[in-house]
Amino acid sequence: VQLQASGGGLVQAGGSLRLSCAASGSIFSINTMGWFRQAPGKEREFVAAITSGGRTNYADSVKGRFTVSRDNAKNTVYLQMNSLKPEDTAVYFCAGDRVYRIYNWDPDYWGQGTLVTVSS
């Protein structure tokens, strides 16, 4: 399974960005997809996850501002990020898994990161 993320960039605080992640390869095995992020000097942290059936989970820090969605026909997961804050600055990683798990999630598959920078 290969995961290709895109959509990062520089945005001002209060702005919006949408990240995309397309899966290829043995995509039939992917049931959960989502996002993690890693800020400079910090550990990687969970952001959001969604199952193929549409169940979602979010980190408390992004609830109400970020929305995760997926297009199963396109094997693509999205992360709509609104009301961005400087503390959202991080490298965002797409992830996928064979299991249906949106809590305590340790993904099988990882994509490359895409940098999101939020200026104040």
Side-chain angles (χ1 to χ4, degrees):
V1 173
Q2 293 79 45
L3 301 173
Q4 182 70 40
S6 61
L10 173 65
V11 63
Q12 289 187 332
S16 298
L17 277 177
R18 188 176 84 151
L19 305 182
S20 301
C21 176
S24 61
S26 299
I27 55 178
F28 64 89
S29 67
I30 299 179
N31 291 305
T32 301
M33 297 184 75
W35 299 89
F36 286 70
R37 68 185 181 186
Q38 187 167 19
K42 295 187 177 182
E43 294 186 352
R44 189 177 299 187
E45 63 176 4
F46 169 78
V47 176
I50 184 169
T51 67
S52 56
R55 291 180 63 222
T56 59
N57 183 35
Y58 296 90
D60 288 343
S61 59
V62 307
K63 281 181 181 177
R65 300 187 298 122
F66 290 11
T67 302
V68 63
S69 61
R70 67 190 286 175
D71 184 332
N72 291 328
K74 295 182 178 180
N75 304 307
T76 300
V77 63
Y78 305 95
L79 185 67
Q80 178 66 43
M81 305 184 292
N82 299 329
S83 301
L84 282 161
K85 305 174 181 180
E87 51 264 43
D88 294 317
T89 295
V91 176
Y92 283 71
F93 295 90
C94 175
D97 209 328
R98 293 166 292 176
V99 300
Y100 290 96
R101 183 185 294 277
I102 57 174
Y103 299 97
N104 300 314
W105 187 32
D106 184 15
D108 288 340
Y109 310 114
W110 292 92
Q112 92 292 355
T114 185
L115 177 62
V116 172
T117 304
V118 184
S119 63
S120 57

